Amino acid sequence: MDRSALCIVLHAHLPWVRHPELPFYMEEHWLFEAIAETYLPLIEVLRGLEHDKVPASLAIDVSPPLASMLCDELLRDRAEAYFESLLDLLQKEKE
């Protein structure tokens, strides 16, 4: 049986944006937006494919700065606060 294949390789990179000396650093939001608008939706799509038993594979090349930021406790806490503020804004818009 002939099989066609499509190979998409995602390269994920962001510049280093951790600034613990500041309570708010605009460039950190690049990371939070990437998580909210790219990485989490991608995980949801992959979960849907798994649920529907669609065979799929994915290659993601994550740069060292991005990998480090995704594992950083301070940035993870700030990302959580960012997501909570988005949820609060969504609730206000809904009301």
Side-chain angles (χ1 to χ4, degrees):
M1 169 161 72
D2 278 343
R3 292 184 67 184
S4 298
L6 171 65
C7 179
I8 299 174
V9 178
L10 302 176
H11 173 68
H13 170 73
L14 285 172
W16 184 256
V17 294
R18 184 182 190 273
H19 291 277
E21 70 279 5
L22 301 171
F24 175 85
Y25 191 73
M26 184 184 71
E27 283 78 4
E28 288 180 352
H29 284 232
W30 297 341
L31 174 64
F32 310 151
E33 290 168 356
I35 293 168
E37 298 172 17
T38 303
Y39 309 140
L40 292 177
L42 181 59
I43 290 170
E44 287 302 310
V45 168
L46 292 171
R47 285 182 176 160
L49 292 173
E50 179 183 38
H51 178 266
D52 295 340
K53 298 186 180 2
V54 175
S57 59
L58 175 69
I60 301 177
D61 172 36
V62 178
S63 70
L66 177 57
S68 182
M69 289 186 298
L70 291 173
C71 293
D72 185 271
E73 187 174 341
L74 173 71
L75 291 174
R76 290 170 68 144
D77 290 345
R78 288 184 176 181
E80 184 177 346
Y82 173 82
F83 300 142
E84 288 174 0
S85 70
L86 288 181
L87 290 172
D88 289 343
L89 179 60
L90 179 64
Q91 185 60 36
K92 289 176 185 175
E93 287 291 323
K94 185 178 175 183
E95 292 169 0

